Amino acid sequence: MVRFDHSKIRQAAKWSSLGLLGSVLLTLLAFFLHLNFAAASFCYLLLVVLLSLSGDLVASALVSFSAVACLDYFFVEPILSFRVQKPLSALALASFLVAGLIIAWLAAKVRVRAAASRLDHQKLQQLYQLAQKLLSLEPDVTPGNGFLELFIGVFGVQSACLFDAVTGEPQFAGPPSASLEEKTGEAFVRGKDCDDPDRRIHTRCIRVAGTATGSIGFEGLEDPQLTAGPLGALGAAHLERTNSFRRASKAAAAAHSESYRSAILDALAHEFRTPLSTILAAAGALREADSLGNYYREMAETVESEAARLSRLTSRLIRTARLEQAEVKPWMELMDLSSVIAETADQYAKLWPEHRISIVKECDSSDVFADPELIPLALSQLLDNACKYSAPGSPVTVRISRQHSYVAVRVLNTGNPIHPDERQKIFDRFYRGAGGHRMAGGSGLGLFVARKIALAHGGRLDLDSELASADGATFCLMLPTPEFERGRERHDLATA
């Protein structure tokens, strides 16, 4: 359906009437003054130029044709006739017509460009004003309707909608529109801009580093080809600012929580160690007393051993929590890994007498460069995890082998298989599997800290899929051999 712009039609009619009236008056004046063809042509050309300044191409073209007709009829031999006897006169009339049309076309083009430039300048000023207001907004964890109200206030759109992928909910400003909400959500799902000129709805997908983070849509936007893109960019900038503030707030809260937890741990460490030291000293004194019988001496030894165990558990808990929030920097020295495993296994055999902990050494040498405090801590986490999450009376096996340039330590247990969906999550801090909550208590830090220690030594800690059984789990700790470490150091020195 063709739509007519009545205002433009009226404007063209007005300038055409003025141009034709000017042609009539100029013809009468030039004819009675007996001007020749050249003088009359110059006067008509001035009229065409003046009319062309209006920017109306139709009126200028109409006046150009009327000027050629008047020149032919009144100023070209034979006078008062449309017949042209001389070829030069015909060429002059044709040149005048072409010149008039070119002048009219150029003037109209310049006027259109000037109008477009003014419109660009106006929209640029509005965008600048909107950007200033957006920057003056206080950052918040959610964009809010106040952010969208600025688009309505500055650009006069009917409605605005923002979809934030983080919250998964749309925000509205102006009258709610189901069509606008649908198109805005569609732009995010499809990952590209959507326009509906019939409904005057224009949406833009918001991307940050190539990833869609939301979308913004407008209903009733004027000049969408000119403003939709910049408005979408401003929406993207504000949404990313909101997300950055959200991440910063979360990080600040986490840092505050970590500081608070560290303070609590330090206080607990002080409060626990003082009474434990007193209990250990008193139990030792009682055990050495000559007046005690064998029964009471055994009880004193039990108190002393359990107090020592509680002291070790307290130190281990505090160190584990501190390792979790700091970078691990091992102090490396050469050690026999099998002897460290044997000592750790003896400790856990006493703590978990219902389990049969066995060590199988499948290699001649198990020497590694490692921290003498951190590696026992990592092995303790694996053995503790195997004993807690396995059936009572089931065996726990530790296998030591050489695998390429690494010493591999595999800890096998039965009774609590790990679901495939949890195989990577169990190494996240504070994560505990569905079965772990039912079988034993814990903080969810053990495997996280053990892997962190392994990575700090240039090794790794993973679930072993090759030796995994249907009713158990196998964790594999890989540590580089001394030969591999020396080769890596020589390579680092050569490339330095």
Side-chain angles (χ1 to χ4, degrees):
M1 181 177 179
V2 180
R3 296 181 179 179
F4 296 98
D5 191 339
H6 296 287
S7 62
K8 290 186 177 181
I9 294 176
R10 287 194 296 269
Q11 184 179 11
K14 180 186 73 173
W15 286 110
S16 298
S17 301
L18 290 176
L20 292 176
L21 179 60
S23 297
V24 171
L25 295 176
L26 181 59
T27 301
L28 293 175
L29 181 62
F31 187 76
F32 284 109
L33 291 177
H34 303 289
L35 297 180
N36 59 16
F37 176 78
S41 298
F42 180 76
C43 294
Y44 281 112
L45 191 60
L46 286 177
L47 177 62
V48 171
V49 171
L50 291 175
L51 190 62
S52 298
L53 296 178
S54 67
D56 195 304
L57 182 60
V58 175
S60 300
L62 185 61
V63 170
S64 297
F65 280 106
S66 65
V68 170
C70 292
L71 283 172
D72 184 14
Y73 192 79
F74 291 102
F75 301 100
V76 176
E77 296 292 339
I79 303 297
L80 303 178
S81 173
F82 288 107
R83 289 185 298 108
V84 179
Q85 292 179 347
K86 297 180 180 180
L88 289 177
S89 298
L91 180 61
L93 290 173
S95 300
F96 177 87
L97 179 60
V98 171
L101 292 176
I102 290 176
I103 290 172
W105 177 73
L106 290 176
K109 188 176 181 179
V110 170
R111 193 173 183 86
V112 169
R113 288 188 176 181
S117 178
R118 286 194 299 271
L119 181 61
D120 289 345
H121 180 72
Q122 177 187 355
K123 297 302 180 184
L124 186 62
Q125 289 293 330
Q126 289 177 321
L127 288 171
Y128 178 73
Q129 180 183 358
L130 178 59
Q132 282 186 316
K133 291 185 176 182
L134 289 176
L135 290 174
S136 66
L137 287 178
E138 290 293 332
D140 200 354
V141 293
T142 56
N145 292 343
F147 153 68
L148 293 174
E149 291 288 351
L150 295 177
F151 287 87
I152 296 179
V154 176
F155 276 85
V157 298
Q158 182 179 342
S159 299
C161 177
L162 175 72
F163 179 79
D164 186 358
V166 176
T167 61
E169 295 182 356
Q171 297 284 342
F172 262 103
S177 170
S179 301
L180 178 59
E181 181 178 356
E182 177 186 355
K183 290 292 183 181
T184 304
E186 181 182 347
F188 170 73
V189 172
R190 296 175 61 184
K192 62 180 183 179
D193 304 338
C194 299
D195 294 314
D196 189 348
D198 295 333
R199 298 181 183 178
R200 299 182 67 196
I201 294 177
H202 303 274
T203 59
R204 294 293 178 265
C205 179
I206 296 175
R207 291 183 175 275
V208 176
T211 303
T213 59
S215 57
I216 189 169
F218 306 99
E219 184 174 0
L221 180 64
E222 298 293 337
D223 302 308
Q225 296 84 2
L226 187 63
T227 57
L231 289 181
L234 287 176
H238 185 77
L239 184 59
E240 178 60 18
R241 182 189 181 201
T242 300
N243 290 335
S244 298
F245 180 76
R246 184 185 294 138
R247 291 190 293 269
S249 300
K250 188 180 295 184
H256 182 73
S257 176
E258 293 292 340
S259 176
Y260 182 67
R261 184 176 63 175
S262 179
I264 291 178
L265 286 173
D266 289 339
L268 287 176
H270 177 74
E271 294 299 325
F272 272 121
R273 283 170 179 165
T274 301
L276 284 174
S277 299
T278 303
I279 293 172
L280 283 170
L286 286 173
R287 182 172 50 81
E288 297 295 332
D290 296 333
S291 59
L292 287 179
N294 291 332
Y295 175 75
Y296 292 105
R297 184 174 289 107
E298 290 178 0
M299 291 184 63
E301 290 177 355
T302 301
V303 171
E304 186 179 16
S305 64
E306 291 301 313
R309 178 191 171 197
L310 182 58
S311 179
R312 289 194 302 271
L313 288 175
T314 303
S315 299
R316 176 183 169 192
L317 174 63
I318 294 171
R319 185 170 186 189
T320 299
R322 287 177 176 171
L323 280 176
E324 181 269 334
Q325 61 182 340
E327 287 298 323
V328 180
K329 296 180 179 179
W331 183 266
M332 310 290 254
E333 65 179 51
L334 186 64
M335 65 169 60
D336 182 9
L337 191 58
S338 60
S339 63
V340 177
I341 294 173
E343 293 176 4
T344 308
D346 288 341
Q347 295 175 5
Y348 274 86
K350 297 176 183 178
L351 295 176
W352 300 87
E354 66 273 17
H355 289 287
R356 301 187 307 275
I357 302 177
S358 60
I359 300 174
V360 179
K361 187 175 181 180
E362 301 173 343
C363 58
D364 296 330
S365 173
S366 58
D367 292 342
V368 294
F369 276 113
D371 190 300
E373 293 185 4
L374 293 179
I375 287 301
L377 179 59
L379 293 171
S380 298
Q381 301 288 3
L382 296 179
L383 284 172
D384 185 68
N385 191 76
C387 293
K388 282 196 300 186
Y389 301 118
S390 59
S394 62
V396 174
T397 306
V398 182
R399 293 182 178 273
I400 309 171
S401 62
R402 291 286 291 261
Q403 190 170 327
H404 304 296
S405 300
Y406 291 85
V407 176
V409 179
R410 291 178 171 85
V411 181
L412 299 81
N413 70 284
T414 58
N416 185 35
I418 298 175
H419 195 275
D421 294 339
E422 297 179 335
R423 288 184 175 272
Q424 289 302 320
K425 295 179 182 178
I426 58 174
F427 293 101
D428 296 340
R429 61 178 180 177
F430 305 125
Y431 182 82
R432 302 191 66 216
H437 288 283
R438 297 191 301 268
M439 297 190 65
S443 62
L445 287 176
L447 291 176
F448 173 81
V449 171
R451 174 178 268 189
K452 198 169 186 180
I453 293 173
L455 294 175
H457 284 77
R460 61 181 184 271
L461 174 63
D462 296 292
L463 270 172
D464 196 327
S465 58
E466 295 181 2
L467 295 181
S469 60
D471 60 345
T474 302
F475 288 91
C476 181
L477 172 64
M478 305 279 286
L479 295 174
T481 61
E483 297 81 8
F484 181 76
E485 287 286 352
R486 285 191 285 265
R488 185 161 55 184
E489 289 177 1
R490 286 194 295 266
H491 179 268
D492 292 341
L493 289 174
T495 56

